[in-house]
Amino acid sequence: MQASQFFSIFLPNKYALFGGGLLALFFLPLSCFATEPQANEIISEIIISGDQLYERGDKTAAKNTYLLASYLGNPVAHFKLAYRFVLSSYKTEYHLEQAALAGHEKALEMYLDHTFYRAGSIEQANPHKAAAVYGRALRSNPDIKFGFLDPEQTLELAWNQKLRDKEKFFSKYNVQDEDGEWPFYDVWELAEKASRPSEVFGEPDPALVFWLITHGGHVPGETETAVKTYYQRWKSGGTIEFDICDYVTSGNGATFCSQRKQEKRSSELTADLQDLSDSLSSTQSARLRNAYEEAEKFITLKVQGEEMHSGTARFALMNASKSRQLSEFIGLLSDIVNQEIDGDENPAAEEDGKLNALYSELLALISENQNVRIGVNTSVVSTEAFRNTQRQWIRYRDSVDEFFKSIHEKDTKVIPALLTSRRNEELATLKESILEYKELYSP
């Protein structure tokens, strides 16, 4: 019997066999009625039929067709079920595992991501099983390559730890698993706590820290580096403290760490602001805080609207820029309080003239180029954002001037001259950037 004849007999009417008893025939060895080459051809035709159904949009029939081929042990069918359809975590893992065991390279990569490199969940991660599947996959297909990753060494280290009862872990420490929401480092945050004395985990336990690291990966490169580095540090008697931000390399990781740094720096800035306020009268203190609030609004708008950060780490870059500028502003406030501001108020009118000219020129330039794309999710600054930032800058300038006058108790143009000069420098830089982006990215 030709493969095409078999196919037409046993797969009539869009695979109606799934509703009847013919499916049982497929659990018999195909060698009962076909040679191995014929059996392989039959399975190949089933896969091709599934592909055709999928491309036509008949996802249900395609899924059933791939299921049929998977029952016959076809690794490609297992892979396509896991890759093309939304399945439960258990079913996804099962189909990837079956394909990986047969030496399917992409399935093995996805399986290791699912159970180890990107698991990011104590419940989902299974480094011991990942190591076992990896070994068997290589025996099936010794030519499997993993690019920059080194699964063999990394999984060997993960294998060399004792198995733990996950239910007992959650019960003993009363902690939660990964919640599925950004920033996806929940398990590694537990590892950080376990690496330091804490109320949750008690005294540091490097074995527990390592176990958590191997169950909390989010980015393959980060997981591999953390596993290798921490294991070596621990076994060589080095420090056993774990810090997520020592290992992050991704945009998500950079953003997560920048936010943590910003929160810490924000607390420090609040303390610095309070120290300045303690030495002032109530009126001066109120103007100090008003100046800081207006400055924070201005800096936020400038970072978001004028600095044009792009790429996967754009939020990390924005957070770092905002934190730096707020620190510099606290320095300015300190200089005002300590009466250390040196400046010449005479150029105030000249600086105002420069500002007005630059602002008008930039409005026209931005209006012409605001749709120019300059990176991931980023375009040249919009006219609306530019106007809003400039309006807030005026409020910022005036509030700082009012604070300065409350300290020096005299009418002077030193602060407007100083801040206008700085703003002119910022606008000149913005103009240069837009012209560069225009030349690089305009169609």
Side-chain angles (χ1 to χ4, degrees):
M1 179 185 294
Q2 297 296 316
S4 58
Q5 292 175 315
F6 173 88
F7 194 65
S8 64
I9 291 172
F10 286 96
L11 296 178
N13 302 326
K14 278 201 175 179
Y15 315 98
L17 72 164
F18 281 92
L22 286 176
L23 179 58
L25 290 173
F26 288 95
F27 290 99
L28 295 174
L30 280 176
S31 58
C32 291
F33 43 77
T35 65
E36 183 174 348
Q38 287 177 324
N40 289 336
E41 187 177 349
I42 290 165
I43 295 173
S44 294
E45 290 197 33
I46 295 173
I47 295 292
I48 291 171
S49 180
D51 291 342
Q52 292 171 343
L53 288 164
Y54 187 87
E55 290 167 5
R56 290 204 303 264
D58 195 344
K59 302 296 179 63
T60 300
K63 181 179 178 182
N64 288 337
T65 306
Y66 293 140
L67 279 170
L68 172 59
S70 74
Y71 294 148
L72 296 170
N74 182 266
V76 174
H78 279 295
F79 173 71
K80 290 191 175 185
L81 283 166
Y83 185 73
R84 288 184 163 179
F85 300 94
V86 178
L87 307 174
S88 67
S89 179
Y90 170 79
K91 288 182 179 179
T92 297
E93 182 178 327
Y94 166 75
H95 287 297
L96 288 174
E97 179 184 334
Q98 296 306 304
L101 289 172
H104 192 293
E105 187 171 25
K106 184 63 177 177
L108 177 60
E109 180 183 338
M110 291 178 62
Y111 179 79
L112 294 183
D113 277 353
H114 185 81
T115 58
F116 179 62
Y117 281 119
R118 297 182 188 272
S121 160
I122 294 170
E123 290 289 355
Q124 182 174 308
N126 195 334
H128 285 87
K129 192 175 180 182
V133 170
Y134 176 75
R136 288 184 59 185
L138 286 187
R139 287 196 292 273
S140 298
N141 179 8
D143 295 328
I144 290 176
K145 304 295 182 184
F146 268 82
F148 70 92
L149 293 176
D150 182 18
E152 185 170 349
Q153 183 181 0
T154 308
L155 289 170
E156 182 181 358
L157 297 178
W159 176 276
N160 289 329
Q161 63 178 320
K162 70 177 183 179
L163 288 167
R164 293 175 183 263
D165 187 315
K166 296 178 181 179
E167 290 186 6
K168 286 185 179 179
F169 168 80
F170 289 119
S171 175
K172 177 178 180 179
Y173 296 111
N174 191 30
V175 294
Q176 301 296 315
D177 200 359
E178 166 63 49
D179 58 14
E181 298 180 359
W182 192 89
F184 313 120
Y185 287 104
D186 294 17
V187 180
W188 277 15
E189 288 185 271
L190 295 178
E192 285 185 327
K193 290 181 181 178
S195 74
R196 309 177 182 105
S198 70
E199 295 181 1
V200 176
F201 296 104
E203 290 302 307
D205 179 355
L208 176 59
V209 176
F210 186 71
W211 183 79
L212 289 166
I213 291 171
T214 62
H215 286 67
H218 172 56
V219 176
E222 296 175 357
T223 304
E224 188 162 275
T225 303
V227 168
K228 289 181 178 180
T229 303
Y230 190 85
Y231 187 89
Q232 177 63 31
R233 183 192 301 164
W234 164 31
K235 293 302 181 179
S236 64
T239 176
I240 57 173
E241 190 168 297
F242 177 69
D243 187 328
I244 294 172
C245 297
D246 289 342
Y247 304 97
V248 297
T249 57
S250 65
N252 273 339
T255 299
F256 168 72
C257 289
S258 73
Q259 286 188 346
R260 293 212 309 190
K261 289 179 181 178
Q262 185 181 16
E263 289 170 2
K264 179 181 178 181
R265 185 57 186 143
S266 179
S267 297
E268 294 171 349
L269 291 174
T270 299
D272 291 342
L273 197 65
Q274 184 61 50
D275 288 342
L276 290 175
S277 180
D278 288 342
S279 64
L280 304 175
S281 68
S282 58
T283 299
Q284 293 169 332
S285 179
R287 289 182 178 175
L288 168 75
R289 295 189 178 279
N290 182 60
Y292 184 82
E293 289 174 4
E294 298 297 344
E296 185 173 27
K297 292 175 184 176
F298 162 64
I299 291 170
T300 300
L301 288 174
K302 184 163 76 74
V303 167
Q304 294 175 348
E306 288 185 3
E307 295 185 2
M308 298 179 289
H309 298 287
S310 64
T312 56
R314 63 189 296 261
F315 291 109
L317 296 171
M318 290 165 63
N319 287 336
S321 179
K322 179 178 177 179
S323 182
R324 174 184 57 79
Q325 292 180 69
L326 284 173
S327 295
E328 291 172 354
F329 180 66
I330 288 289
L332 173 63
L333 293 177
S334 178
D335 287 345
I336 292 173
V337 170
N338 295 317
Q339 301 192 25
E340 295 178 355
I341 291 290
D342 294 322
D344 186 353
E345 61 184 80
N346 293 328
E350 180 181 343
E351 293 295 340
D352 281 340
K354 288 181 182 179
L355 179 67
N356 292 333
L358 266 173
Y359 181 72
S360 298
E361 187 177 357
L362 272 166
L363 269 180
L365 186 61
I366 290 170
S367 180
E368 295 170 1
N369 297 280
Q370 60 185 329
N371 293 322
V372 174
R373 304 289 296 174
I374 62 174
V376 179
N377 298 322
T378 307
S379 300
V380 167
V381 58
S382 70
T383 53
E384 180 181 8
F386 181 59
R387 285 194 178 100
N388 289 339
T389 304
Q390 186 62 16
R391 292 187 188 109
Q392 181 57 40
W393 175 82
I394 294 171
R395 289 189 282 270
Y396 152 69
R397 178 201 61 192
D398 292 346
S399 65
V400 179
D401 189 35
E402 287 298 315
F403 173 61
F404 180 88
K405 290 174 181 177
S406 72
I407 298 294
H408 290 263
E409 298 181 346
K410 61 180 180 179
D411 191 9
T412 174
K413 299 294 184 182
V414 169
I415 288 298
L418 175 65
L419 296 186
T420 304
S421 176
R422 291 181 180 181
R423 183 60 175 159
N424 284 335
E425 292 175 1
E426 294 169 353
L427 295 185
T429 300
L430 177 59
K431 176 184 173 181
E432 290 180 13
S433 297
I434 293 174
L435 290 174
E436 288 177 5
Y437 287 132
K438 178 183 179 181
E439 182 176 353
L440 288 172
Y441 298 107
S442 292

